[in-house]
Amino acid sequence: MAVQKLRSGVIGRIARLIDFRIDERLRDLNGRVNELEHATADHRRRLDGAESGLEHARGDLRWTRAELDRLIPSVAAQEAQLEDLRESISLPAHADKPELAEARSLIQEIQRQHAQIRVRLAGIARYEDRLRRLEETATVPAGE
C-alpha cells in the first residue's frame, strides 16, 4: 500500500509537471497565434488600402489614355498644318541671288540687334531690381 501510494503520488506529480509544461507551451502558442492574427489583420488592411490605391491609379491611367487617344488626332493635324506652313515659308521667293543675300544679311542684322536689346533689357531689369531692394532696405526703420 505504501508503495502504491508513493507510486500514485509520483505519477500525480509527474502528471502535474507534464500538464504545467503543456499549459505553458499552449499559452506561448496562443500568444503567438494571437500575435499572428493581429499581424494578418494588419496586412489584410494594408493590402486592401494598396488595392484601393492601385484601382484609383488604374482609373487615372484609363482617363489619361482616353484623353491621349482623343488628343493624338488633333496633334497630328496640327503637326501637318505646321509642316505645310513650314514648306510654304521655305519656298524661295522670286528674287535673284543678290537680293536674297541682302535679305538674309538684313534678317541676321535684325536678329543680332534683337539679341543686343534683350541683353540690355535684362541688365536694366537687374538694375531696377537692385534699386528696388536698396530702396526697401532704406525705408525699413533701423529698429526692426
Side-chain angles (χ1 to χ4, degrees):
M1 264 233 240
V3 173
Q4 199 169 9
K5 201 174 187 182
L6 183 65
R7 185 184 295 165
S8 66
V10 170
I11 291 175
R13 192 171 183 162
I14 291 174
R16 283 191 305 274
L17 181 64
I18 290 173
D19 286 343
F20 175 76
R21 294 290 183 198
I22 289 173
D23 287 343
E24 186 179 357
R25 290 227 176 195
L26 283 176
R27 278 193 303 271
D28 290 345
L29 288 176
N30 282 337
R32 182 92 170 111
V33 166
N34 285 337
E35 204 177 286
L36 291 173
E37 284 176 348
H38 291 302
T40 301
D42 182 52
H43 290 140
R44 283 188 180 136
R45 182 183 49 78
R46 291 171 57 196
L47 180 62
D48 289 343
E51 286 176 346
S52 172
L54 182 60
E55 192 54 42
H56 180 71
R58 283 183 181 144
D60 289 348
L61 183 62
R62 283 190 291 269
W63 180 85
T64 303
R65 182 64 196 182
E67 287 297 304
L68 188 61
D69 289 343
R70 183 180 67 80
L71 290 174
I72 284 176
S74 298
V75 171
Q78 287 181 346
E79 285 179 348
Q81 289 174 348
L82 279 173
E83 191 56 38
D84 291 343
L85 183 60
R86 193 175 292 124
E87 286 176 6
S88 69
I89 289 173
S90 68
L91 291 176
H94 297 289
D96 58 358
K97 296 263 184 195
E99 289 177 350
L100 284 176
E102 183 181 349
R104 285 192 182 116
S105 68
L106 282 174
I107 289 173
Q108 289 173 350
E109 178 64 22
I110 290 170
Q111 289 173 340
R112 186 185 63 77
Q113 289 178 4
H114 279 197
Q116 288 176 346
I117 290 169
R118 281 192 295 275
V119 168
R120 288 178 186 144
L121 288 175
I124 290 170
R126 279 189 296 239
Y127 177 75
E128 288 177 346
D129 185 53
R130 183 159 185 223
L131 278 178
R132 179 188 55 78
R133 283 187 273 136
L134 288 172
E135 287 172 351
E136 286 175 357
T137 305
T139 58
V140 174
E144 289 185 24

